[in-house]
Amino acid sequence: MDPKIMAVITTQKERVAGGAPIFIMPNHEEMQRTAFTLEKVLDGMVHQVTPDILIIVRHH
Amino acid sequence: MLKQLLANEYFIPLFIGFGFGVLTRVLLLRTDYRQYPTSPHGKIIHLSLGIIASSLGAVAVPALLKENYTAITFLTVAAQQFRDVRKMERDTLTEVDKHELVPRGGSYIEGIAMAFEGRNYLVIFVAFVTTFATVLFAWWGGLIAGIVTMGIGLKYKSGKTLGHIVDIVPAEVKMDEYNLSVGDIYIMNVGSEDAQEQIRKHGMGFILVPKNQNAKVTIANLGQRQAILHDTATMLGVYRDEGEPSLVPMAKRDLRTGRIGLFLLPLTRDVSKAEQVIVHVPLLEYASRIPKEAPINQTAPSNDQ
């Protein structure tokens, strides 16, 4: 299976758009906590694109 | 009954040849840290096949001597049989590999399956030579031939290990914000702060420095790298679980020098033990390359680093 972006988590709403579900969080801590939860639920790895944008990618 | 048996001129040669064949299979059948073949049923299967191989090798001699040449064709049936053994091993291992936290990988499985097939041919060889020597000389001839061929068999049972082709250097696991690297080799992007913390705590790094051009190409092979990760995870345990995709041991290549950065997550954090494990990782037959032997590389100026 090709890598696939399962979700995007950000604190900066205006900088992201696209097909994957986007989770907008008020601050850094909330963003990290959501990423942790989604990582376990979606079985995908959290990658940091910029300090404000995290993506969950399923690699296998 | 016994008298009748002993009256058969080939009884002693067959007995000695068959005995040495089976003994070879027993000695070659070691269950080690890889827990393969699985005891006891896996062993029973391979011992039985070893007995069949041994009797085939032994019986071929009287068939030849009695000029029963067509009977020799059953050896081809044996070859087919042992190819099936290889297929069986490959299928089983591929199936169970799906449930490994750190899989063996296709090349490793292929190597194990090939070893099972190859060892049966070794048994046939030992049984054949021993029986033949007993017929030619006497029981003592068979004994000498048996011991010598068995020695050859044991010598060729396993190939080289990783320690022969690389130097293993312990390296620091660095978590520079979200970038994980081992020494100066970049491994991956870890976005989760929780995973970053776990990696700082449990990560262990090594750099494999190839000793020559052949080694460079060999350790670049993905199957060989997976074998290293699997063996270290088996021997030292692994700090990961299903549904923890951020915690994954990895081997990445430094494109410039051909070195491999090895990022491990062992349960037993002992650098010297881990080093020993890596040294003893088998060099996979399907990964080994010897570009240095090619004529084109004999004349070209070396740019080894």
Side-chain angles (χ1 to χ4, degrees), chain A residues 31-41 46 56, chain B residues 192 194-195 244:
Chain A
M31 180 176 77
Q32 275 294 335
R33 208 171 312 139
T34 314
F36 180 84
T37 311
L38 289 176
E39 177 181 52
K40 310 298 177 232
V41 175
V46 181
I56 311 253
Chain B
S192 160
D194 176 66
E244 295 279 355

Side-chain angles (χ1 to χ4, degrees), chain B residues 20-21 24-25 28 53 115-129 149-150 152-158:
Chain B
F20 267 104
T24 310
R25 190 67 190 103
L28 289 174
F116 276 112
E117 186 185 352
R119 284 175 187 190
N120 278 311
Y121 297 136
L122 267 181
V123 169
I124 293 183
F125 167 72
V126 171
F128 182 86
V129 173
T149 47
M150 208 159 71
I152 295 172
L154 288 176
K155 187 171 180 285
Y156 286 106
K157 80 172 175 181
S158 46

Side-chain angles (χ1 to χ4, degrees), chain B residues 90-242:
Chain B
R90 178 196 299 134
D91 292 349
T92 316
L93 284 170
T94 309
E95 198 51 44
V96 296
D97 209 34
K98 293 177 193 159
H99 307 297
E100 295 275 357
L101 283 178
V102 181
R104 286 186 175 88
S107 306
Y108 203 172
I109 289 176
E110 217 41 65
I112 296 173
M114 195 163 63
F116 276 112
E117 186 185 352
R119 284 175 187 190
N120 278 311
Y121 297 136
L122 267 181
V123 169
I124 293 183
F125 167 72
V126 171
F128 182 86
V129 173
T130 310
T131 312
F132 204 60
T134 318
V135 173
L136 273 184
F137 306 105
W139 61 268
W140 50 269
L143 219 61
I144 295 169
I147 291 168
V148 170
T149 47
M150 208 159 71
I152 295 172
L154 288 176
K155 187 171 180 285
Y156 286 106
K157 80 172 175 181
S158 46
K160 282 185 176 176
T161 61
L162 204 61
H164 286 107
I165 64 158
V166 296
D167 291 315
I168 295 145
V169 187
E172 194 194 350
V173 175
K174 281 187 278 192
M175 201 70 250
D176 177 20
E177 276 187 84
Y178 52 87
N179 290 319
L180 169 66
S181 50
V182 168
D184 60 334
I185 301 173
Y186 178 79
I187 303 287
M188 61 175 162
N189 175 317
V190 183
S192 160
E193 284 175 359
D194 176 66
Q196 289 172 10
E197 193 50 44
Q198 307 265 31
I199 286 170
R200 273 193 204 99
K201 235 175 163 171
H202 299 280
M204 193 192 259
F206 289 96
I207 288 181
L208 309 182
V209 185
K211 286 182 180 167
N212 57 37
Q213 198 191 348
N214 291 345
K216 254 186 215 178
V217 185
T218 304
I219 57 170
N221 183 285
L222 293 174
Q224 181 65 56
R225 287 194 237 170
Q226 191 59 40
I228 301 170
L229 297 175
H230 174 82
D231 266 14
T232 48
T234 310
M235 304 272 263
L236 306 167
V238 61
Y239 191 85
R240 83 171 301 230
D241 195 8
E242 197 191 16

Side-chain angles (χ1 to χ4, degrees), chain B residues 12 15 21 23 52 57 63-64 69 78 89 94 97 193 203 211 238 244 247 265 275 287 290 301:
Chain B
I12 302 278
F15 185 76
L23 191 64
I52 295 172
L64 258 178
Y69 298 126
E89 286 302 332
T94 309
D97 209 34
E193 284 175 359
K211 286 182 180 167
V238 61
E244 295 279 355
L247 299 174
L265 286 158
E275 227 176 296
I290 40 172

Side-chain angles (χ1 to χ4, degrees), chain A residues 2-22:
Chain A
D2 291 332
K4 189 180 174 207
I5 300 182
M6 311 294 290
V8 180
I9 310 128
T10 182
T11 52
Q12 288 191 322
K13 186 180 166 184
E14 63 283 357
R15 293 183 64 184
V16 291
I22 300 165

Side-chain angles (χ1 to χ4, degrees), chain B residues 60 62-74:
Chain B
L64 258 178
L65 294 178
K66 296 230 161 173
E67 297 184 13
N68 189 357
Y69 298 126
T70 42
I72 298 299
T73 52
F74 66 74

